Amino acid sequence: MPIMPNTCLNNIPSVFQTFDHEDFFARRCIWVNGPVIVGAGPSGLAVGAGLKRQGVPFIILERANCIASLWQNRTYDRLKLHLPKQFCQLPNFPFPEGFPEYPTKGEFITYLESYAKHFDISPHFNETVQSAKYDETFGLWRVKTIRETSSNSNRIGDDQVEYLCRWLVVATGENAEKVVPEFEGFEEFGGHVIHVCDYKSGKRYGGKRVLVVGCGNSGMEVSLDLCNHEAEPSMVVRNSVHVLPREVMGKSTFELAVLLMKWLPLWLVDKMLLILAWLILGNVEKYGLRRPSIGPLQLKNSAGKTPVLDIGALQKIRSGEIKVVPGVKRFFPGRVELVNGDDIEIDSVILATGYRSNVPSWLKENDFFSQDGIPKNQFPNGWKGKAGLYAVGFTRKGLSGASLDAISVAHDISKSWKEETKQRKKSIAARHKKSWTCL
């Protein structure tokens, strides 16, 4: 079934009256007989697959040169899915039976590429959305992009395009841009500094003193990887954090929580998880890992803060191979001063300080999304806005939440598209009948 847009704009010539003339002549205009999906990560692919199954044409715009660019270009080598594969598969396409319980980075990328191939999804790569705005006069979304053009692997220029569509799906997700905090004296440090999105492995850090800023799943796992490559990591733990075992008696902790929540209230499940964590991991607070005042599931739902699922870092913390230090006060050449007054010498800094949404930078809309680029309505009611605007991948519930929203979005758009297509065919038939009557 076709997914290429119809470039003929004869059906909506009056729209041109509202265009900036200089911008119009600088850009090619393309009418999309279906939705425009921004982002070719798991969320965008899942929506595309749902639309494909319903026979709805669409296009996917992706700024990178591949699908799932976060996974392919901005993750470390040893990364595995933190949750069992059954909670991470996309709609209508299970993982291959031979895949392990926790697929590796490479295996997950292979799965996503197979998913795109199975549903014949071909995103427009190297095309960055500059702005998307709803034209209330004509009831259309105007999506302006800039596309890198090349010949024989050499970049030759940029192609500016404006897409017109009835539906816009924002699938750029919660992790579109890295967060780089500001520290006093950071420019004076002089050592090697990277964000975790650029970290691949600890090979280059052997024998180095490395400050890892952040204690989430990435910070913990990078610290563990550094230890395995004979580095000396110090991990900054500024705030409280929940650390849970990844498995309880061979059963995924997440799977156990999902099962318990079918029968018990969330606060009680939280208490049970904390008791199990204490029995298995012991008192982690004596190592500098203070627990938050509210439970891990409640904290995830209210603030989107994911608990750390331990895969070996805690053992390294107990042995002293990973040093836990408090927050950073300021940097000096070759060293850092901590908030408790301690001063430690370091060679490198890895910022495991997370990511954020980039939606506010390009979507010209203030009702559906908050200032931090997350839908104002929480899951499961955050997937649909007004005027044909949708969001997928912002649930703070990982791939399973994104999949549920993708199913809802694809179903809703398909229903509207089929109704409009039916009405349009009736209108065309009526005009033809009237013209023959006049003859």
Side-chain angles (χ1 to χ4, degrees):
M1 63 197 69
I3 64 170
M4 292 301 295
N6 179 4
T7 57
C8 177
L9 289 174
N10 293 333
N11 294 336
I12 47 172
S14 54
V15 175
F16 293 130
Q17 298 171 13
T18 68
F19 287 175
D20 178 274
H21 286 183
E22 290 185 7
D23 192 50
F24 168 67
F25 286 110
R27 295 179 185 269
R28 292 190 299 114
C29 289
I30 298 177
W31 164 245
V32 182
N33 183 27
V36 168
I37 302 169
V38 183
S43 298
L45 296 178
V47 175
L51 294 170
K52 198 76 161 177
R53 285 166 57 88
Q54 296 292 327
V56 179
F58 62 90
I59 63 167
I60 298 180
L61 304 175
E62 170 55 52
R63 63 180 177 177
N65 62 354
C66 60
I67 65 168
S69 62
L70 176 65
W71 279 88
Q72 299 214 49
N73 302 332
R74 294 183 284 158
T75 51
Y76 40 91
D77 295 341
R78 63 164 289 143
L79 180 63
K80 294 183 179 181
L81 293 177
H82 291 126
L83 303 181
K85 59 184 178 182
Q86 64 266 32
F87 296 104
C88 301
Q89 65 189 25
L90 301 185
N92 305 301
F93 197 77
F95 279 95
E97 290 185 7
F99 272 36
E101 186 76 355
Y102 299 95
T104 65
K105 165 186 173 178
E107 288 167 335
F108 186 58
I109 292 171
T110 297
Y111 166 77
L112 294 176
E113 289 174 340
S114 298
Y115 190 87
K117 183 177 181 181
H118 178 79
F119 291 103
D120 193 22
I121 298 172
S122 300
H124 293 197
F125 294 122
N126 300 312
E127 188 159 4
T128 301
V129 174
Q130 295 179 306
S131 69
K133 184 177 181 180
Y134 186 68
D135 189 320
E136 295 184 2
T137 303
F138 297 98
L140 296 172
W141 284 94
R142 296 166 55 179
V143 184
K144 297 181 180 181
T145 72
I146 187 165
R147 180 194 301 168
E148 292 184 13
T149 56
S150 60
S151 177
N152 298 324
S153 301
N154 295 317
R155 179 175 172 178
I156 60 175
D158 294 321
D159 183 19
Q160 298 183 55
V161 181
E162 180 162 21
Y163 297 93
L164 307 177
C165 59
R166 276 276 292 110
W167 303 276
L168 177 66
V169 181
V170 180
T172 47
E174 306 158 346
N175 302 316
E177 300 289 347
K178 62 185 179 183
V179 174
V180 179
E182 295 182 0
F183 295 105
E184 185 180 354
F186 209 12
E187 67 282 354
E188 302 173 18
F189 169 58
H192 180 253
V193 179
I194 62 169
H195 190 273
V196 72
C197 69
D198 297 313
Y199 176 89
K200 297 305 177 185
S201 85
K203 290 179 181 179
R204 64 171 295 176
Y205 296 95
K208 301 290 186 181
R209 299 161 298 183
V210 185
L211 186 73
V212 179
V213 182
C215 61
N217 281 297
S218 293
M220 286 277 193
E221 193 161 355
V222 165
S223 296
L224 175 61
D225 191 50
L226 289 168
C227 275
N228 293 338
H229 287 90
E230 309 301 326
E232 301 174 21
S234 296
M235 184 175 65
V236 174
V237 181
R238 188 182 62 177
N239 300 315
S240 56
V241 59
H242 279 299
V243 181
L244 304 176
R246 185 170 73 169
E247 294 184 340
V248 177
M249 294 182 292
K251 190 87 167 178
S252 160
T253 302
F254 180 79
E255 188 176 358
L256 178 63
V258 170
L259 180 64
L260 290 173
M261 282 191 294
K262 291 181 179 179
W263 311 100
L264 302 173
L266 184 143
W267 66 268
L268 183 54
V269 176
D270 265 342
K271 285 189 176 295
M272 296 176 70
L273 289 178
L274 291 177
I275 291 172
L276 288 170
W278 186 83
L279 290 172
I280 296 170
L281 303 178
N283 179 16
V284 299
E285 294 201 6
K286 65 182 180 181
Y287 303 110
L289 302 172
R290 296 179 294 108
R291 289 200 181 277
S293 58
I294 62 176
L297 299 179
Q298 185 181 350
L299 187 63
K300 174 66 174 173
N301 286 345
S302 61
K305 191 172 181 180
T306 304
V308 172
L309 298 176
D310 180 55
I311 58 171
L314 195 55
Q315 181 181 346
K316 300 291 187 181
I317 292 173
R318 288 196 191 99
S319 68
E321 294 174 81
I322 297 176
K323 295 180 176 63
V324 174
V325 299
V328 171
K329 183 176 181 180
R330 68 157 295 157
F331 284 88
F332 295 93
R335 61 190 179 91
V336 62
E337 181 184 350
L338 305 173
V339 292
N340 65 353
D342 288 352
D343 195 285
I344 58 175
E345 294 183 351
I346 53 174
D347 301 303
S348 301
V349 177
I350 298 174
L351 300 172
T353 45
Y355 301 87
R356 64 180 167 224
S357 166
N358 70 353
V359 173
S361 68
W362 57 269
L363 182 62
K364 311 306 177 185
E365 185 274 343
N366 298 314
D367 295 329
F368 186 44
F369 283 88
S370 62
Q371 291 183 346
D372 59 358
I374 303 295
K376 294 178 181 179
N377 295 327
Q378 294 186 351
F379 180 85
N381 301 311
W383 58 271
K384 184 177 182 179
K386 298 178 180 178
L389 179 63
Y390 298 87
V392 182
F394 299 88
T395 65
R396 292 175 172 168
K397 294 185 179 295
L399 291 166
S400 59
S403 293
L404 290 173
D405 276 358
I407 292 171
S408 298
V409 169
H411 174 76
D412 199 67
I413 292 177
S414 298
K415 182 180 178 182
S416 298
W417 183 85
K418 289 177 180 178
E419 288 176 354
E420 291 194 9
T421 300
K422 185 177 180 180
Q423 290 299 321
R424 188 160 57 247
K425 288 180 178 179
K426 285 184 177 180
S427 177
I428 292 173
R431 287 202 299 269
H432 284 183
K433 183 177 181 181
K434 184 177 180 181
S435 62
W436 278 106
T437 301
C438 293
L439 291 175

